[in-house]
Amino acid sequence: MTTLRDDYILEHISPEPIHLQQLYRHTHLTCLYPRMCSGHLQGRLLAMIVAMIRPRRVLELGAFTGYSALCLAENLADGAELHTIEIDDEMADRLTRLFASSPGGDKITLHIGDARHIIPQLHPGNWDLVYIDANKRDYTTYLQLLLPQIPPGGFILADNTLWDDKVVDTATHRDPQTLGLASFNDLVARHPRLDTVILPLRDGLTLMRVKC
């Protein structure tokens, strides 16, 4: 359920491109857990971040229906590339068709499988921007795999890091997803290589800059 403030924000930011409107609606009509789709506000933020930092190599963990990948690809410069990893092999054909027919989709390379296994196989690494939105239990593992592949000045975004505020009370909420995210939040808050801020956007979005 949206609030009046949510509605106001959406009315006062850049409009959602029509192909993303259609994808968002299709996701809600055809998919379980459509809330996993980034949506208008977060999508505009992802596109803005890419426009600001001008990454050459971007990695996304967790494509779902492709909305966030298209937002990340939207402002990529010529010659830049985005690799996205989706564990659900039933999404492969759908995502391949989507990227082939959407603006910016020609800059996206799709990988199907478990990100924990695929990340070490992607060479040369050197990711300027990474967006983590995959299995919440494995966020810490993803970070450990990724940090050696991100140069100083690179950025990491991690979605869902507030997890309906369950991470605030892990004495009550003991499910693996909540505990995984809580451990990740604790790690990045004190990690010597990271500057970190949590944005209270939707379900929490953590922005990290690699310092050294």
Side-chain angles (χ1 to χ4, degrees):
M1 179 181 297
T2 61
T3 66
L4 289 175
R5 187 178 73 166
D6 294 332
D7 293 338
Y8 182 87
I9 290 171
L10 295 181
E11 290 170 1
H12 290 83
I13 64 175
S14 297
E16 185 179 31
I18 185 64
H19 68 284
L20 293 177
Q21 291 181 31
Q22 293 169 346
L23 176 57
Y24 188 80
R25 175 173 170 75
H26 186 66
T27 298
H28 278 71
L29 290 174
T30 62
C31 293
L32 293 173
Y33 311 115
R35 182 183 175 189
M36 291 167 56
C37 189
S38 293
H40 183 184
L41 175 58
Q42 188 162 334
R44 292 305 85 207
L45 177 62
L46 295 177
M48 178 73 77
I49 288 173
V50 171
M52 291 169 63
I53 68 176
R54 309 302 289 170
R56 301 297 297 176
R57 287 178 56 77
V58 181
L59 176 64
E60 176 187 53
L61 312 184
F64 190 41
T65 58
Y67 189 105
S68 53
L70 291 176
C71 292
L72 290 165
E74 185 176 317
N75 289 323
L76 283 178
D78 291 342
E81 56 187 281
L82 164 64
H83 292 256
T84 185
I85 302 173
E86 173 54 46
I87 196 169
D88 185 357
D89 57 4
E90 293 185 358
M91 296 297 296
D93 289 343
R94 177 174 176 170
L95 288 168
T96 299
R97 291 193 302 269
L98 174 72
F99 297 151
S101 62
S102 299
D106 58 321
K107 298 175 182 177
I108 301 174
T109 300
L110 174 64
H111 306 268
I112 298 295
D114 190 323
R116 295 173 300 175
H117 304 148
I118 293 176
I119 290 170
Q121 300 173 11
L122 297 179
H123 297 289
N126 294 327
W127 307 109
D128 302 304
L129 173 64
V130 175
Y131 179 52
I132 303 174
D133 190 17
N135 192 326
K136 313 311 169 189
R137 292 169 289 189
D138 292 327
Y139 271 32
T140 296
T141 300
Y142 300 147
L143 183 68
Q144 293 168 341
L145 290 170
L146 288 164
L147 270 179
Q149 300 189 22
I150 303 174
F155 290 87
I156 306 168
L157 296 169
D159 199 17
N160 304 119
T161 49
L162 294 179
W163 204 235
D164 285 331
D165 292 339
K166 292 179 182 179
V167 294
V168 178
D169 183 9
T170 55
T172 301
H173 303 288
R174 303 292 299 172
D175 60 277
Q177 291 81 7
T178 298
L179 295 179
L181 287 167
S183 295
F184 174 81
N185 290 342
D186 290 343
L187 173 63
V188 301
R190 64 176 185 269
H191 200 290
R193 291 194 61 201
L194 298 173
D195 283 328
T196 302
V197 62
I198 297 178
L199 306 177
L201 173 70
R202 296 183 76 219
D203 206 16
L205 182 69
T206 298
L207 172 62
M208 294 154 275
R209 183 180 68 87
V210 178
K211 295 187 292 186
C212 59

